[in-house]
Amino acid sequence: MEKQLKAVSDANRLKLLACLKQGEVCVCDLVDVLQVSQPAVSQQLRKLKEAGIILERKKGTWKHYRLHEEQSTYIQAIIDELEPISYLHCGPTCSSEEGAQ
């Protein structure tokens, strides 16, 4: 419980969760949402993944993230309260070999 609550106690991680409410998202889209470097986004995502809140799937050199289907009651309540954040989809470029995870 402590790890999960710490994971959702950061404004940037809450923004990431708000994006993920709409389904699976490529890390390149999340970089645009947070306006920080890709490694910084990956660090935030790693904390959510380690807490069991999100899952990742690799596609080419990019990783795609989605909410775990089964959340604890308190984490689901937090996610439910978040307003979804719209983002521009990177399209087919996220599966290119030029991108970095």
Side-chain angles (χ1 to χ4, degrees):
M1 180 187 289
E2 179 183 356
K3 190 176 228 179
Q4 287 187 326
L5 290 173
K6 282 183 179 181
V8 297
S9 68
D10 178 84
N12 281 331
R13 290 192 288 273
L14 289 173
K15 286 180 188 178
L16 294 173
L17 292 174
C19 289
L20 295 173
K21 283 182 79 163
Q22 299 178 45
E24 188 173 77
V25 181
C26 177
V27 70
C28 61
D29 293 324
L30 299 172
V31 168
D32 291 337
V33 169
L34 293 187
Q35 295 295 301
V36 297
S37 69
Q38 183 271 322
V41 172
S42 291
Q43 279 189 340
Q44 299 299 330
L45 290 165
R46 182 177 46 80
K47 291 181 187 218
L48 291 168
K49 183 181 163 203
E50 287 174 353
I53 298 171
I54 65 172
L55 301 170
E56 79 177 18
R57 175 180 66 88
K58 192 166 181 161
K59 180 180 178 185
T61 57
W62 292 101
K63 290 186 180 175
H64 294 252
Y65 294 87
R66 69 183 186 280
L67 293 173
H68 197 289
E69 297 83 24
E70 296 180 22
Q71 300 287 349
S72 58
T73 307
Y74 53 91
I75 295 298
Q76 189 61 57
I78 292 168
I79 292 170
D80 289 345
E81 289 298 315
L82 297 173
E83 289 292 323
I85 295 177
S86 297
Y87 54 90
L88 296 174
H89 295 280
C90 61
T93 60
C94 68
S95 61
S96 74
E97 293 302 314
E98 294 176 26
Q101 169 286 35

